[in-house]
Amino acid sequence: MQLPTFGEVFLTTDDVQGGLENLKLFKGKLISSLCGGCRKLFVIEEGLDNQGIISTLHSPEHDEYDQTFSQDSNNLQSFDFKGSIKTIVTGKKHTVFLTDQGDVYSYGYGEYGALGHGGIIELSIPKKIIRISKVDTIACGEYHTLALTNGDLFAWGRGFEGQLGIRKDVETAASPMFLSFFYKNRIKLIACGAYHSLAVDQQGILYGWGEARFGQLGTGRKVSEQLPSRIDFQLEQPMNQSELRVGKFLPQETSFQVISISGGYGHSAAVTSNGELYTWGFNQRGQLGNGDKDKKSSYYPKRLMQDISGIQLPGFSKVMCGYYTTYAIDQKGGLWSWGGGNLGHQNDKLVDLPRKIVLEDRKFTNMYANGQAAAFFASLRTISMKPNHGPSTGGTIISLIGTGFCDTGRQSARFKLGDQYTEVGCEYDSLTDSFRCTTPNFEEHIDKYPVECVVEVTLDGNVYVECEQKFLVYSSKIVISSLYPKCASIQGGTTLIININIDDLTASYMKHLNIGFQPRNKKKEDKSAMKQSTNKPLNPLDLSINDPELDKENWMCVEGFYEKGKISCTIPNVSQLQTDSLNFNVDVSINGQQFTGNPMVFRFYDIQIKELQPDNVMSEGGASVKIIGDGFFDTTNKRVIFKTLFGERLIEIMWDKQDRFYSFVAPPLSWLLGGQQPTPDLLNAVKASGVTALLTLSGIEWIPIGTFYYIDPEVLRLGPFIVDEKLPEEQKKQLIHQEEQEIDPLKDLQGADLQKKKDELQKIFEAEEQEINYFFKKAGQYLSVYGENLANTESLLVQFIFNGNMAVNQKAIFKNKSKLVVQIPELELPTGIHDVGVEITFNGTSFSHSGKVFKYMAFDKSLNEQQKLKLEDEEIKKLKKTQPKKK
């Protein structure tokens, strides 16, 4: 990791039963190093004035020979009098410090020359080692130390096992001595096991020396190597190849560029530049991670291929060995562990295959392990922000989401556009462990939109961490171009399509669109108040379409979806909304928080259909039909649709603004057959089932009007309707108005009986026809009108036609499907007998064309009753003369 940096420190020890503890103390602190050795762990943070502050993570019983632990200071101790500490490494009884200036200090017990100060046996305070300077890296075994300075390697301390690598005859060194083996071969990485040493040269080649009896040098079965020996990586099949569960592993060409090394008590590990991970050495507790059930030592490096689940391992970037444990960081920052000890897996202390330590969203960059514990560092991450886009005018309240956040009092975010940047303060939200800030106005720095802006977070105003997600600044001049439909029912539920001028880049960011519906006040709209739907304190992480914050301006919001220049949403139900207007503003919040401020008008309606006037017409259509109801208004998309068994037909409708009703001209029945040739069967099928009529004001929603019928009234004949004048008036009235059961007089008759009945009926028909044709009817008398499929409708009328083009309509009385009764009205005709036509209608507008007539006797109003009777007798005599003679 790039140090120093902010982040989180995790610790696994016996105290947490091998689990992983997040050390909150270090949140908000600049961490320089995780280090230690043997039984000690340290965290070095950068303090004020560049002082290195040391925190000990081990128990005080492991500090029997030094003073780094102090109960009075909560295990924090300053090293200010020696300079800024870069790292600390410890052996079994000695401690070595490296400062940022490259100086090395040591103290503790000097067995085998471990302190590097010549013959000094014990030091209670750190003392500078004067034989070396400008040191880059140090490493420590139990009793020996390595120091790397500008590619040159030095060693001191115990060398009985060959771990110094100076010469074969050097078993101890009380002062730093140069390893001439690497003369002209510069070293870039070093590491120490308990009694062995590892180094990598500038070409990435790995060397090992020292104790080798467990195979920890990877050079074969040997007791030790007194001088550095190259460690070769053999191309071998992984162990337990048959247990692999995912895919098929094939040997790959191995890279010898080693980028990370580490040594434990008796085992070693290395990572190559292509992410391959190798282990070798002692395996008694599964620390090699190769799954060998017999726990045999490995004397050569073997690549690890599978995890504990049998899944192929990812590429790795770093490895660290504890005494009997191994830890690794993969190329994505994931943390892995295996072996015997505290592994970060609660209560699971023996794992012989790599197992990932699952910590959500953490990316680990550094770690250090000793004999009993391990510490891990996950760098501060700003993973994402919500929302991650906003208008150029700023004012977007965003939540920065990541790991390692805390309230330092100095946290802030800066928005960078090229060389320009603007910094804003951040508030820490402890509930969501996130930062919240308000975006600045970008219009001073940007000419063209949209543009992606880099966001950086700092906890101290000095060290910044770039967010892994860009913030998109889009134009504040984005507007809605059109809505479809422009109106909908207050019940909602239909889809609204919003056309909007958005570029592809802005569109790619739109994941959480809010569509706002706001009742329009009768007062003039204040558009400036619509730019921002919410005010502080608002947490964007908590903002939803139902958030009460949006109620501040009476917005009702629904979720929207964008695709190819169009936003779609489901129109909300506003039937319970208390408002005096059904006209609404509709606006889009591209980032789920701020509206464009340029809304379009949308109309809700509450349509109540009362009736169709009329609800039936004749087959030829052409009649004007009114739709009567409440809540009507004019729209460009108003239509009526007629649906039949054979298809549907759209019909244009008209709006009567004065009387507030819709009207349309009924189409011919033949138009409703779906293009089929009209036949009697098809026409009768539609007549029988009726036509489903629906109204739309939007072109999308359809409101049921009712069933519309095509009925062709037909008069077959006319006949008298005689009422006994002697009956009481009530009884006569009842007899006239009550319906009659339709009976088939020929039913169940056969042979002679059938013929006899037919003859009787024929005589009755002839008698009635005789009376109609050769006798007259007067006003006030009743007339029977016989037809087929007669309908009892509200507009059932009989029309009396006289003088060619004059007519009087009279309400008809429905008796049954083949008979009507009507009272003959007073007709304005001169005295005498006149032929009067009779037609019927079911809708009050379309009449039959039967041509049936009867003789009507008209009287001058000046005539008295005696004169009328005399005139009737004269007319009857004349009519009798015209009757045909009986044969």
Side-chain angles (χ1 to χ4, degrees):
M1 66 181 176
Q2 185 178 357
L3 297 175
T5 188
F6 295 105
E8 298 170 285
V9 176
F10 294 85
L11 180 67
T12 178
T13 64
D14 290 332
D15 294 337
V16 290
Q17 291 78 47
L20 210 58
E21 180 184 5
N22 188 334
L23 303 179
K24 305 293 186 181
L25 171 68
F26 298 105
K27 292 184 75 171
K29 306 291 180 62
L30 275 174
I31 304 302
S32 298
S33 176
L34 300 182
C35 49
C38 198
R39 292 170 294 179
K40 297 187 180 185
L41 280 176
F42 300 98
V43 177
I44 300 178
E45 58 183 278
E46 187 166 299
L48 297 175
D49 300 321
N50 203 35
Q51 293 175 333
I53 299 176
I54 306 169
S55 297
T56 60
L57 304 184
H58 50 269
S59 300
E61 60 265 24
H62 300 313
D63 288 304
E64 68 277 7
Y65 62 87
D66 61 42
Q67 304 297 317
T68 56
F69 179 82
S70 170
Q71 291 182 340
D72 296 334
S73 60
N74 278 332
N75 69 325
L76 289 175
Q77 184 70 280
S78 185
F79 194 66
D80 55 349
F81 63 99
K82 298 297 182 185
S84 178
I85 297 176
K86 181 178 181 180
T87 190
I88 305 173
V89 293
T90 66
K92 204 164 188 178
K93 294 183 179 181
H94 74 290
T95 300
V96 183
F97 295 84
L98 175 63
T99 70
D100 284 339
Q101 293 75 25
D103 295 328
V104 178
Y105 294 78
S106 67
Y107 74 109
Y109 294 103
E111 294 180 80
Y112 314 111
L115 294 180
H117 296 294
I120 296 177
I121 301 299
E122 181 180 358
L123 284 173
S124 60
I125 60 173
K127 177 179 173 64
K128 182 177 179 181
I129 300 176
I130 61 175
R131 290 283 300 270
I132 52 175
S133 62
K134 297 183 180 180
V135 175
D136 302 309
T137 307
I138 55 175
C140 215
E142 287 199 353
Y143 295 100
H144 77 290
T145 305
L146 300 182
L148 184 63
T149 172
N150 195 26
D152 293 333
L153 185 57
F154 293 82
W156 65 93
R158 176 174 174 140
F160 295 126
E161 293 79 14
Q163 59 265 49
L164 296 182
I166 299 169
R167 291 191 306 273
K168 290 185 178 181
D169 58 344
V170 176
E171 294 184 339
T172 62
S175 299
M177 296 184 67
F178 175 65
L179 272 70
S180 58
F181 180 87
F182 294 113
Y183 179 66
K184 294 185 179 180
N185 187 12
R186 308 184 77 79
I187 299 299
K188 64 178 181 180
L189 296 175
I190 57 173
C192 291
Y195 297 99
H196 69 289
S197 301
L198 301 169
V200 178
D201 66 14
Q202 294 295 331
Q203 288 73 43
I205 298 173
L206 176 62
Y207 297 85
W209 60 97
E211 185 179 56
R213 60 194 179 97
F214 299 117
Q216 59 263 56
L217 294 186
T219 56
R221 292 178 178 268
K222 300 176 181 178
V223 175
S224 66
E225 290 277 6
Q226 299 297 316
L227 294 175
S229 178
R230 176 170 172 165
I231 301 174
D232 291 322
F233 293 82
Q234 301 295 323
L235 197 62
E236 297 186 14
Q237 292 289 329
M239 299 188 69
N240 297 330
Q241 179 77 10
S242 62
E243 297 179 10
L244 295 178
R245 303 176 191 170
V246 178
K248 182 178 180 181
F249 295 105
L250 297 175
Q252 300 177 0
E253 183 178 349
T254 303
S255 168
F256 293 98
Q257 293 292 315
V258 176
I259 60 171
S260 178
I261 54 173
S262 185
Y265 180 78
H267 75 294
S268 301
V271 174
T272 62
S273 55
N274 60 0
E276 295 172 358
L277 175 59
Y278 292 83
T279 59
W280 59 95
F282 194 47
N283 194 35
Q284 188 61 40
R285 303 189 68 180
Q287 58 264 49
L288 296 188
N290 57 23
D292 183 6
K293 301 304 180 183
D294 296 329
K295 305 292 189 296
K296 293 180 179 179
S297 295
S298 176
Y299 294 92
Y300 297 97
K302 286 187 172 61
R303 182 183 170 192
L304 301 188
M305 300 288 287
Q306 60 173 325
D307 68 9
I308 195 170
S309 300
I311 299 173
Q312 185 173 3
L313 288 171
F316 289 90
S317 61
K318 187 168 290 191
V319 68
M320 171 60 63
C321 295
Y323 262 40
Y324 304 104
T325 54
T326 308
Y327 309 89
I329 297 174
D330 66 35
Q331 292 171 341
K332 293 184 178 181
L335 182 61
W336 299 73
S337 65
W338 58 94
N342 295 311
L343 300 173
H345 308 296
Q346 193 77 28
N347 298 319
D348 192 354
K349 295 189 176 184
L350 190 63
V351 179
D352 61 4
L353 282 165
R355 179 180 175 186
K356 190 171 184 179
I357 300 173
V358 180
L359 280 173
E360 188 176 3
D361 295 330
R362 266 67 179 192
K363 279 190 176 180
F364 289 90
T365 55
N366 201 9
M367 56 188 167
Y368 203 90
N370 63 18
Q372 292 82 28
F376 313 97
F377 182 79
S379 297
L380 183 144
R381 292 183 68 194
T382 307
I383 301 169
S384 62
M385 60 195 86
K386 182 180 179 182
N388 64 345
H389 51 293
S392 57
T393 51
T396 307
I397 302 171
I398 64 173
S399 277
L400 297 161
I401 304 159
T403 62
F405 290 178
C406 67
D407 189 0
T408 64
R410 293 178 292 169
Q411 66 269 11
S412 63
R414 66 182 180 189
F415 296 80
K416 295 181 64 176
L417 292 165
D419 296 333
Q420 303 288 332
Y421 66 87
T422 304
E423 192 152 350
V424 296
C426 290
E427 295 179 5
Y428 176 67
D429 187 333
S430 58
L431 294 178
T432 58
D433 200 23
S434 64
F435 287 149
R436 187 168 64 243
C437 69
T438 302
T439 61
N441 189 315
F442 299 97
E443 295 189 340
E444 296 180 8
H445 309 297
I446 308 176
D447 297 324
K448 295 182 180 180
Y449 303 97
V451 61
E452 290 182 314
C453 177
V454 174
V455 180
E456 296 177 330
V457 170
T458 181
L459 299 184
D460 65 351
N462 295 311
V463 177
Y464 289 82
V465 176
E466 184 175 322
C467 182
E468 297 169 21
Q469 191 178 58
K470 296 285 198 313
F471 183 84
L472 182 80
V473 181
Y474 57 80
S475 172
S476 61
K477 295 179 174 57
I478 290 175
V479 296
I480 299 171
S481 57
S482 65
L483 301 176
Y484 181 77
K486 295 183 178 180
C487 59
S489 165
I490 60 172
Q491 303 298 325
T494 56
T495 299
L496 176 66
I497 302 298
I498 303 170
N499 290 295
I500 191 165
N501 60 332
I502 293 180
D503 59 274
D504 291 341
L505 181 57
T506 302
S508 68
Y509 273 73
M510 297 193 307
K511 308 299 182 186
H512 303 286
L513 285 168
N514 280 351
I515 313 303
F517 292 78
Q518 180 192 51
R520 288 172 64 89
N521 297 324
K522 293 183 178 180
K523 298 180 181 179
K524 188 176 180 181
E525 296 288 337
D526 181 8
K527 289 190 177 182
S528 64
M530 299 176 60
K531 279 283 185 179
Q532 176 78 33
S533 66
T534 55
N535 296 308
K536 292 183 179 179
L538 168 67
N539 185 352
L541 288 177
D542 299 331
L543 184 64
S544 69
I545 58 176
N546 299 314
D547 197 280
E549 288 290 334
L550 294 172
D551 290 338
K552 289 180 178 180
E553 295 168 11
N554 207 20
W555 283 103
M556 176 177 284
C557 289
V558 296
E559 187 177 8
F561 305 92
Y562 176 85
E563 184 177 4
K564 296 180 180 179
K566 300 180 186 297
I567 296 171
S568 63
C569 71
T570 300
I571 297 171
N573 185 324
V574 298
S575 60
Q576 303 302 315
L577 197 63
Q578 295 182 353
T579 175
D580 59 355
S581 174
L582 291 178
N583 289 315
F584 277 62
N585 292 317
V586 172
D587 206 350
V588 174
S589 173
I590 293 174
N591 62 3
Q593 186 184 127
Q594 294 162 288
F595 292 109
T596 69
N598 298 291
M600 294 200 77
V601 178
F602 185 83
R603 172 70 183 261
F604 281 97
Y605 53 75
D606 186 10
I607 298 294
Q608 304 295 327
I609 302 294
K610 292 183 177 178
E611 61 176 324
L612 281 171
Q613 291 183 355
D615 66 353
N616 63 88
V617 296
M618 296 177 64
S619 296
E620 65 264 26
S624 179
V625 181
K626 293 181 181 179
I627 306 171
I628 309 298
D630 294 327
F632 291 177
F633 63 98
D634 194 18
T635 76
T636 57
N637 291 317
K638 58 185 182 295
R639 302 284 190 282
V640 164
I641 193 169
F642 273 14
K643 291 187 175 183
T644 71
L645 299 170
F646 308 105
E648 52 190 46
R649 185 91 177 196
L650 275 175
I651 302 169
E652 297 290 334
I653 64 175
M654 293 162 284
W655 166 240
D656 189 307
K657 185 176 181 180
Q658 181 175 351
D659 295 326
R660 306 194 74 77
F661 65 81
Y662 302 121
S663 64
F664 63 90
V665 176
L669 175 59
S670 59
W671 287 15
L672 306 178
L673 300 180
Q676 300 183 70
Q677 185 69 27
T679 64
D681 288 342
L682 293 177
L683 295 173
N684 289 333
V686 176
K687 288 181 180 180
S689 62
V691 177
T692 300
L694 301 105
L695 168 70
T696 183
L697 302 181
S698 63
I700 295 177
E701 270 182 320
W702 294 92
I703 305 165
I705 301 174
T707 304
F708 192 80
Y709 293 94
Y710 281 87
I711 305 174
D712 292 318
E714 185 176 358
V715 179
L716 298 178
R717 62 189 181 88
L718 302 177
F721 185 79
I722 301 179
V723 181
D724 189 350
E725 295 296 332
K726 296 178 181 180
L727 294 174
E729 286 299 320
E730 263 318 302
Q731 193 171 348
K732 284 197 293 184
K733 186 176 181 181
Q734 182 179 359
L735 183 65
I736 291 169
H737 287 86
Q738 72 182 8
E739 291 189 13
E740 298 176 359
Q741 186 175 2
E742 191 172 11
I743 300 174
D744 183 2
L746 303 178
K747 186 178 180 181
D748 299 330
L749 296 178
Q750 295 180 353
D753 292 336
L754 177 61
Q755 188 60 46
K756 181 180 178 181
K757 190 63 177 179
K758 286 183 177 180
D759 294 340
E760 291 176 1
L761 292 174
Q762 183 63 32
K763 289 180 180 180
I764 293 173
F765 293 157
E766 289 176 356
E768 289 182 349
E769 184 179 7
Q770 186 82 2
E771 182 172 343
I772 291 298
N773 293 333
Y774 301 103
F775 292 92
F776 58 80
K777 296 293 180 183
K778 299 183 292 184
Q781 292 181 329
Y782 287 88
L783 186 68
S784 294
V785 181
Y786 295 95
E788 288 182 346
N789 298 318
L790 302 180
N792 187 12
T793 68
E794 291 290 330
S795 301
L796 180 61
L797 300 175
V798 172
Q799 188 174 65
F800 295 88
I801 305 168
F802 55 94
N803 280 351
N805 59 358
M806 299 183 67
V808 172
N809 294 337
Q810 185 77 349
K811 184 73 175 176
I813 301 167
F814 181 81
K815 303 298 282 184
N816 56 47
K817 290 184 178 181
S818 60
K819 181 179 178 181
L820 305 177
V821 170
V822 64
Q823 189 175 30
I824 301 171
E826 188 80 39
L827 303 178
E828 297 292 333
L829 287 169
T831 301
I833 295 177
H834 304 271
D835 285 339
V836 175
V838 174
E839 303 296 346
I840 61 174
T841 180
F842 300 138
N843 61 21
T845 58
S846 302
F847 289 86
S848 61
H849 306 289
S850 64
K852 302 297 181 183
V853 297
F854 73 96
K855 297 190 180 300
Y856 175 81
M857 182 69 192
F859 298 98
D860 190 285
K861 292 182 180 179
S862 63
L863 296 177
N864 58 33
E865 289 301 319
Q866 188 175 359
Q867 290 172 324
K868 290 180 180 180
L869 289 172
K870 182 180 178 181
L871 185 58
E872 286 181 22
D873 290 340
E874 293 175 356
E875 293 297 333
I876 290 173
K877 290 177 182 179
K878 292 178 183 179
L879 289 171
K880 283 184 177 180
K881 291 180 181 181
T882 63
Q883 292 183 30
K885 294 182 179 180
K886 296 182 180 180
K887 294 181 181 180

